[in-house]
Amino acid sequence: QQQVKQSPQSLIVQKGGISIINCAYENTAFDYFPWYQQFPGKGPALLIAIRPDVSEKKEGRFTISFNKSAKQFSLHIMDSQPGDSATYFCAASSLDSWGKFQFGAGTQVVVTP
Amino acid sequence: DGGITQSPKYLFRKEGQNVTLSCEQNLNHDAMYWYRQDPGQGLRLIYYSQIVNDFQKGDIAEGYSVSREKKESFPLTVTSAQKNPTAFYLCASSTDTDTQYFGPGTRLTVL
């Protein structure tokens, strides 16, 4: 039973376009929501993270939007570049789970030139 | 340089053989984790350790074993009881309940 559902499974976007990846969760105890970026054959790297006390967080071209009532959060990649082509994972954890993350299944993003 | 190292990068196992994957961190993190990644799936937690000499099973611990004798090291043994061990194995560490930092991974293949 997957506690964090991620969509779409894959995404193709043109250079300069916007990539949007969505995640939904059920456990209302979750209070930390990171996004990770993974290139083939490499370990995931933290991209950006958010807590439920804010509805949006922006770092450069990457923005997390968070909707607590809907139990959804999303990653927006603005002005997508070929170097952004990677697999993106959302995750969620709660303070009482002591760092046990629940990961989404991942979204493979391909940015075409 | 601070970070997490995993070795070997590639590992081949014969049927019935136990193999051990190494994970070392010099970030002074208390917690360490082992994940398994299969194509098209997210990361699944195998074992985690919050402190030296203590560890807990994750969601898919069957067929795996770990030890945590030192803060810096958290080796994972894939035993012969693990029937489908071919996967990409990732080690992570964290200093608190938030951000986890991942190593480069070990790709295990059963021959």
Side-chain angles (χ1 to χ4, degrees):
Chain A
Q1 181 183 354
Q2 200 162 25
Q3 294 194 35
V4 178
K5 296 183 178 180
Q6 184 172 346
S7 63
Q9 187 175 2
S10 62
L11 180 61
I12 300 175
V13 62
Q14 285 190 330
K15 179 181 176 181
I18 302 173
S19 304
I20 301 175
I21 306 169
N22 301 298
C23 284
Y25 62 96
E26 289 297 325
N27 188 346
T28 55
F30 286 151
D31 60 2
Y32 180 68
F33 303 90
W35 284 91
Y36 284 84
Q37 179 188 56
Q38 184 180 30
F39 294 104
K42 306 293 184 182
L46 179 69
L47 195 60
I48 187 172
I50 197 169
R51 291 196 175 279
D53 53 346
V54 296
S55 60
E56 185 175 282
K57 183 175 182 180
K58 183 177 181 179
E59 290 185 3
R61 295 184 293 109
F62 301 92
T63 299
I64 298 179
S65 297
F66 184 80
N67 186 330
K68 189 174 182 178
S69 61
K71 291 184 287 186
Q72 294 176 349
F73 58 109
S74 61
L75 176 70
H76 295 232
I77 307 174
M78 312 299 287
D79 186 26
S80 296
Q81 299 296 313
D84 297 332
S85 297
T87 299
Y88 294 82
F89 293 95
C90 63
S93 70
S94 60
L95 195 62
D96 61 358
S97 68
W98 225 101
K100 285 180 64 179
F101 282 10
Q102 294 293 331
F103 283 88
T107 296
Q108 185 174 13
V109 174
V110 175
V111 181
T112 59
Chain B
D1 287 339
I4 303 173
T5 57
Q6 291 186 241
S7 62
K9 186 172 182 179
Y10 300 98
L11 185 57
F12 298 92
R13 193 195 91 168
K14 294 180 180 178
E15 293 285 347
Q17 199 176 41
N18 291 356
V19 291
T20 297
L21 284 60
S22 170
C23 177
E24 303 277 335
Q25 55 98 0
N26 60 4
L27 300 169
N28 200 32
H29 288 172
D30 289 315
M32 297 186 74
Y33 312 82
W34 273 106
Y35 293 90
R36 170 181 172 141
Q37 185 175 30
D38 294 282
Q41 297 191 35
L43 282 66
R44 293 184 290 168
L45 183 64
I46 304 172
Y47 269 98
Y48 65 104
S49 169
Q50 299 169 1
I51 197 169
V52 175
N53 292 323
D54 186 48
F55 50 82
Q56 285 78 41
K57 293 181 179 180
D59 299 321
I60 55 165
E62 185 175 351
Y64 300 97
S65 65
V66 294
S67 63
R68 187 83 187 277
E69 297 177 0
K70 299 187 298 182
K71 187 176 185 178
E72 303 80 20
S73 179
F74 191 40
L76 173 74
T77 297
V78 184
T79 74
S80 57
Q82 171 51 239
K83 298 307 178 187
N84 185 23
T86 294
F88 191 47
Y89 290 87
L90 289 158
C91 178
S93 70
S94 70
T95 188
D96 50 30
T97 58
D98 294 349
T99 304
Q100 291 187 17
Y101 297 91
F102 285 85
T106 292
R107 187 165 299 280
L108 173 62
T109 303
V110 174
L111 299 175

